Amino acid sequence: MVKIALVIYRTSLISCLNLLFLCSIVSCDSEHKTTTLKHKSILFTAASLSTVQEQYSSVQLFQQSMDQAIKEVDAQIANGIEVPIPKDLAGGYTHERHKLNYLTMQRAGKLYRVTGEEKYAVYVHDMLREYAEMFPTLDRHPSEKSYSRGKLFWQCLNDANWLVYASQAYDCIYDRLNADEKAFLETNLFRPYANFLSIETPQFFNRIHNHSTWANAGVGMIGLVMNDTVLVKRALYGLEEDGLDTAAKDNDGGSIKEEGQERAGFLAQMDLLFSPDGFYAEGPYYQRYAIYPFMVFAASLQNARPDLKIFEHRDGILSKAVYALLNLTDSNGEFYPINDAQKGMSYYSRELVSAVDIIYHFGDQNPELLSIAEKQGRVLLDVTGFSVAEAISQGKTQAFVPKSMELKDGADGSEGGLAILRMNHTGGDLNAVFKYTAQGMGHGHYDKLSYSLFENGEEVLQDYGVSRFVNIEQKNGGGYLKENKTFAKQTVAHNTVVVNQTTNYGADIDVANKRHSDRFFFDASKKNIQIASAKDTGAYDGVRMQRTIALIADSSFAKPLLVDVFDIDSDEINTYDLPCYYFGQLLLANMVYETRATLAPMGDQFGYQHLWEVAKADKLPNQTKVTWMNNQQFYSWTASTDTSDEFLFGRIGANDPKFNLRADPMFMLRRKADHAVFASVLESHGSYSAVSELSEDAFSKVTGIDVIYQSDDYTAVQIRHEGGTLQLVLCRNDSAADQSHEITIESKKVSWTGAYDYQVM
Amino acid sequence: MVKIALVIYRTSLISCLNLLFLCSIVSCDSEHKTTTLKHKSILFTAASLSTVQEQYSSVQLFQQSMDQAIKEVDAQIANGIEVPIPKDLAGGYTHERHKLNYLTMQRAGKLYRVTGEEKYAVYVHDMLREYAEMFPTLDRHPSEKSYSRGKLFWQCLNDANWLVYASQAYDCIYDRLNADEKAFLETNLFRPYANFLSIETPQFFNRIHNHSTWANAGVGMIGLVMNDTVLVKRALYGLEEDGLDTAAKDNDGGSIKEEGQERAGFLAQMDLLFSPDGFYAEGPYYQRYAIYPFMVFAASLQNARPDLKIFEHRDGILSKAVYALLNLTDSNGEFYPINDAQKGMSYYSRELVSAVDIIYHFGDQNPELLSIAEKQGRVLLDVTGFSVAEAISQGKTQAFVPKSMELKDGADGSEGGLAILRMNHTGGDLNAVFKYTAQGMGHGHYDKLSYSLFENGEEVLQDYGVSRFVNIEQKNGGGYLKENKTFAKQTVAHNTVVVNQTTNYGADIDVANKRHSDRFFFDASKKNIQIASAKDTGAYDGVRMQRTIALIADSSFAKPLLVDVFDIDSDEINTYDLPCYYFGQLLLANMVYETRATLAPMGDQFGYQHLWEVAKADKLPNQTKVTWMNNQQFYSWTASTDTSDEFLFGRIGANDPKFNLRADPMFMLRRKADHAVFASVLESHGSYSAVSELSEDAFSKVTGIDVIYQSDDYTAVQIRHEGGTLQLVLCRNDSAADQSHEITIESKKVSWTGAYDYQVM
């Protein structure tokens, strides 16, 4: 159509009439059948639908996404409709079938809307009718595992997913159905379904939680399609009366209703689940999951209820949430796996395709988003995806550059945060992720002041992530595994200090939910140092902790150094354990250690029961060094240690009767003290090729790290290396950027302004 | 020059004279300086040198390889020459420097020969002079580790490498030196160096071994360059008198001189080290290492002594050796890591670049070799590399298709062999590598009838490979680790049966060297089954073993099945252990097992001391099934078992004080019996995406495998699955292809011709 339009651009009226005649023939015979929008749609406006219908085939990425959807949907149409009686858990047949059904329905609906091909509408209608016939016969799902059992699925969460997708499918065929057909579906399926998810399951609908976001979105979207203002209001503001108990918990130990919680519904989720920086309390893995209902319901509102200006709500919080997510990724686009996160989830997920397309179209049309959409290789089959694909075809793409940043946590930004430090080097990049957030509700881990490190998208020091195999039926039906509580959530499973072999807050979620770490300072403005410092006084009663993580670029080193200064203070003598979860093969450890002839667990609780003690050193040199090799590179960790310190080599996997844990290695520095400073430096260095068998820079260049100054107000460390010395002085009490400081270190005066001083000596 | 030549093709005599004038100017000012060959070169003939000089810049891959060499050599020239007094082991400075020197010299020499650029000749000459000044002052290397200590390096092997490369460098600048200059280098360096490697170190020079191949090549190549017929004869035929002791051993326990060994030298290596199929006794990792001196000395002979027709020797054995190597690779081009092999070595190595180029040029110009050269992305900077690059630029490339094949072992092909079974499927390929070779000398492993499995270039069931970190100084100077002997070489470290927890031949290398397994049959001619069967009666006295490995393609399965029938027979009751080294995470094990609260090693010798016993089942169901997940795929192993069988889950790493071993997982089926058949089937199935979180076909489709017939003459198994039954009948005594057989299985007559019968029931 576009080509024809171009050809006849300067033609006479008669030619135009000819064209109209031509078009009417074309629209009958080609796949470009146009349909007019006859209701308030959640996916298009009348104008945008007509643009997409007319132009899509000339926009490559959109057409490509259509082709993919056509292939998948046609295969399902050929397969025939299957709407089985619900029975299985995640990974099982009925679960996976209903999931495939809603995904297919939504795609089929959009294909109909864009192409006008009848068969897609028929397929959606037929399937919805089968659901409408079955739904009134269903009781709750036979599995009793969930705190909010669903009907099609074992938990309402999946049922809400179904409704979010089915609403879109219904929206696409709505104009094509007669009044009786619509009444049949709405009476038997959609209204009771919406009531089931809300009025009948308030513990699911009225929380401030990603589960409820899905519920709100499903109920609101079907309400918009049916123009049911009651449902839409319920979705936006929650149930007026829910009768929920503040002592109730969900399956993950998360609260159903926090004390003092008054609000519910979609707007409350937008106001309370994100920090002002767009950080979502449960972390990026769940933020990715949660972002889909946020984005798709917001886009639905923007299409059907533009008066609400939803994308402007709370200073554009949805846009901030998407950018936070995009920045919470390593260089492969994979999310940093903090809290309950399955590794490998990335911005290639369908949720992020939606988020990028929607925030591009309804947001600021940032050309950097287009580079991510190009990598994703597909767009939504609606006006948002069309906008993105069209902009790409017009060459507007710019590279997305992830940034070093601090994301504050808490609804008002006062509950600690997360620092992302990034430095590029000639061979790639290093990212340190330093976590000093609040607990993150039911999916949070007890890992105050932990950090993990990534190089070129590979983990150097890992966060274990979740102990779960999502949708793998053999592993507890794809659900959370026991070891998630007994190991993965525990403090010792993370790269942070464990006090007296006890987990933060004694692993009490109620205490955890009320406390948080505190940011101290963050500075990523300089070329040669990026630094973040945070404190915690709540994780262990009577123990004051400050950790500072810095990436330092120095010309003596090919790659940045990671410097870690962990200051711990207590009035009592405690045991401080600092675990370090590396990957690969140990090459060198400079202390005298004894390997165990038989292995026993390191302890009997708080995660220690899952760590085999492989070797132990009872005393250490002043500088402890460990070098290992992974991914054809070398890593060396050098720490300032006391001779009375202990050092343990361990491996995950003890007390794991179902082989649920990964048998990854770790080491741990242990000190008994009241006040301790764990100062260490991690070097990534050199390379190895298994083909040329050449090794380069296999040895650490750091000769030592020393704590050269300690007081209540300051801690200073020096890193000695073959080519010189680096000095880092940290404030402990005053982080004001404009405050001047002066101290004397080894009879030399050091003065600076701000929270820290870094010098190449 | 080419362009000019084309332009003036049809010009008059006057124009031609103009051109000559022009050329003389060009040859002074441009980089295309031509030089004439004035001696018998090992790298070019006069004609080929002139072709390369004139045409190289228009042949892309050659020019590209030149550019790379120029970059590397120019960087070294800028760095300045360093010829340090030898001191370090592999990985240390002096070792790596001398290695870099010979690699750089050779490249610089070739750059001079091709471009005529003086600076490269000067660099080579200066460096050789420094070596000539230092060499007379050197005693043997201070390290006493080697059975044949070198001078520049800790072992003569590396010194021989140096001479192989330095000979080429010297060849390139030979014409440019005056008589005094040549005399200086030859008197102080090359002749004493050649004598040092041969007459002064007969235990290194006169073996039938890859070490000696390097020595022969180095001595022969420098002999050719200097036109020293004594040295060339010594290289070809060995030392007449070596005074070697047949009881002497090298560092790896390999014999210095086998009893009855009469021959030595290069021709003897060609005759005795390869089987008639081109298989090299030590396996592909060492074959790759050994192939370079074979190829480069052969090419040198072909250039300088074409009368010898070296490439025709023994029916073209060198060509067969290269093709054997190229077929001994997975789909990433990495060599199957049998015996002492470091994983990751591949046909991208410089040795294979040489082999491919030389065998293309001096061999049959097989266009499939060009596809490998394209992947390698570089060619040799001589006439062979030019031939390859030119053919590629002419579009002659065809895809190299690795084949299922059997490579017989032993100088006369009578000492067992290695079977490679390959099947493609829509998602990639499966390769089973079944080893029934002779021991493979000092680098052989005690793993009779073992196999390993690869999918899409990733290991499914691994061969542990070597316990060594080549050129990683922290790990024993890059040399073999103690655990190579105590674990990696032991039978239990492989996927094959261990009898009474004892290694093959009681781990006695002298016995091992005298015995071998025997091929029984091999058939890769059919689409739906590829099968190999082999026997061993020597690994354990009084124990007769037959193993049959088959890949079976059946329409009920998306990918081929691997069927393994291991028949073991003895007059006594023995303990038979069948280990299985998988990767990844166990999802399911269908027996009742007990996980250990503390871990102890599985035994105290023959490698068992390195295996932690993680869990054990004391009795088994009739069908034992284990499912695991790796690389986003599922694998299930189903075995016919007796209730009295035991099953162990283990992990490598016990008694490993220096963390030299990889902590990889394994499981093991154990049976006490006189006669046992271990029949099992391995399915690769389904897929998982961490991004979509969808799992497909996560469950095994095999319901069971049964041994349905056993006699002295036949074993039959049936594989039952959801869609039917597959039946495989194997001969045990007669593998003749034309022999008819008939037996009655479950009252049905089964008749067939040949060594086996396969039927879909």
Side-chain angles (χ1 to χ4, degrees), chain A residues 285 342 470-471 593 657 688 693, chain B residues 285 342 470 593 657 688 693:
Chain A
Y285 176 81
Q342 181 165 282
V470 181
N471 289 327
Y593 59 82
Y688 184 74
E693 296 189 331
Chain B
Y285 176 82
Q342 181 165 284
V470 180
Y593 59 82
Y688 183 75
E693 296 190 329

Side-chain angles (χ1 to χ4, degrees), chain B residues 462-477:
Chain B
Q462 71 162 326
D463 186 308
Y464 185 88
V466 74
S467 177
R468 182 185 179 186
F469 296 77
V470 180
N471 289 328
I472 304 288
E473 197 177 351
Q474 291 99 328
K475 288 292 189 190
N476 189 32

Side-chain angles (χ1 to χ4, degrees), chain A residues 285 342 345 469-471 474-475 585-586 593 597-599 612 651 657 659-661 663 688 690-691 693 695 698, chain B residues 285 342 345 469-471 474-475 585-586 593 597-599 612 651 657 659-661 663 688 690-691 693 695 698:
Chain A
Y285 176 81
Q342 181 165 282
M345 182 55 74
F469 296 78
V470 181
N471 289 327
Q474 292 99 326
K475 289 290 190 190
Q585 195 82 23
L586 279 175
Y593 59 82
T598 58
L599 300 191
W612 295 116
R651 187 170 291 279
F659 298 100
N660 286 338
L661 293 169
Y688 184 74
V691 174
E693 296 189 331
S695 65
Chain B
Y285 176 82
Q342 181 165 284
M345 183 54 75
F469 296 77
V470 180
N471 289 328
Q474 291 99 328
K475 288 292 189 190
Q585 196 81 22
L586 279 175
Y593 59 82
T598 58
L599 300 191
W612 295 116
R651 186 170 293 278
F659 297 100
N660 287 337
L661 293 170
Y688 183 75
V691 174
E693 296 190 329
S695 65

Side-chain angles (χ1 to χ4, degrees), chain B residues 156-157 159-161 163-164 194 197-198 201 204-207 209-222 231 234-235 266 269 293 297:
Chain B
C156 274
L157 176 58
D159 290 67
N161 271 259
L163 188 56
V164 164
L197 287 180
S198 53
T201 322
F204 174 65
F205 190 80
N206 242 34
R207 303 173 69 185
H209 192 277
N210 83 64
H211 288 190
S212 304
T213 311
W214 279 98
N216 301 158
V219 170
M221 286 166 71
I222 198 64
L231 287 182
R234 191 188 294 165
F266 192 67
Q269 315 283 4
F297 187 24

